[in-house]
Amino acid sequence: MDTTDEPEVEAVTYVATATRTGKQWTATARDLPGGHTVQAQGASWREVKRNVADLVFEIHNDDATIGVHLLPADPEAAAALHDVIAARSARVLAEQAERDAVRHAVRLLIHAGWSTRDIGSALLLSHQRVSQLAPRTTT
């Protein structure tokens, strides 16, 4: 049971699609409250994204948290951007998995009696970094 007096905030994300004609971008966001559609222009991707977001915020005047996700209208370009985002997400997860594995290995090897220099050599880390990850306790 929620005992706070804070109202619940609804997060809403709208998707806008952008096309480039000449030197100008045009973005369109559909299915807004009241069946509205907005269209904005800009000379750059950043500008058209900001302009279409401003129009969406104007129409959506309730307490919801609003987001606008801009995608290229061209499916091939949208897929390419999606692939980059997926690769970056995978990299972040892989880096975290590596950090977790290194911490586990350092603690295990310290407990097994290895020196920090030997652990560092085996894991391609400095002995100082090994000491930071699993400092030896003195009693």
Side-chain angles (χ1 to χ4, degrees):
M1 179 179 192
D2 186 12
T3 59
T4 64
D5 291 332
E6 297 293 321
E8 287 190 35
V9 177
E10 178 186 349
V12 180
T13 300
Y14 295 99
V15 175
T17 56
T19 55
R20 185 161 181 87
T21 307
K23 294 184 177 185
Q24 192 75 20
W25 284 99
T26 302
T28 305
R30 293 180 169 76
D31 301 324
L32 300 172
H36 287 87
T37 296
V38 295
Q39 199 168 59
Q41 293 184 333
S44 67
W45 184 264
R46 182 181 305 245
E47 183 180 346
V48 76
K49 183 175 183 178
R50 184 182 60 241
N51 291 346
V52 77
D54 287 346
L55 293 174
V56 169
F57 294 144
E58 277 181 30
I59 287 177
H60 208 291
N61 56 7
D62 61 13
D63 294 330
T65 301
I66 305 302
V68 176
H69 186 66
L70 185 62
L71 293 174
D74 172 30
E76 193 172 355
L81 291 181
H82 177 269
D83 291 347
V84 169
I85 292 167
R88 288 177 177 162
S89 296
R91 183 189 66 224
V92 167
L93 294 173
E95 288 171 350
Q96 183 61 52
E98 178 188 11
R99 285 189 296 272
D100 293 345
V102 166
R103 278 190 204 94
H104 174 73
V106 165
R107 290 182 182 131
L108 181 89
L109 297 173
I110 287 281
H111 183 70
W114 288 41
S115 72
T116 57
R117 289 190 187 277
D118 287 341
I119 295 169
S121 292
L123 298 178
L124 304 177
L125 298 170
S126 70
H127 67 277
Q128 294 95 337
R129 182 66 183 133
V130 171
S131 294
Q132 290 173 340
L133 291 171
R136 295 184 187 268
T137 57
T138 56
T139 54

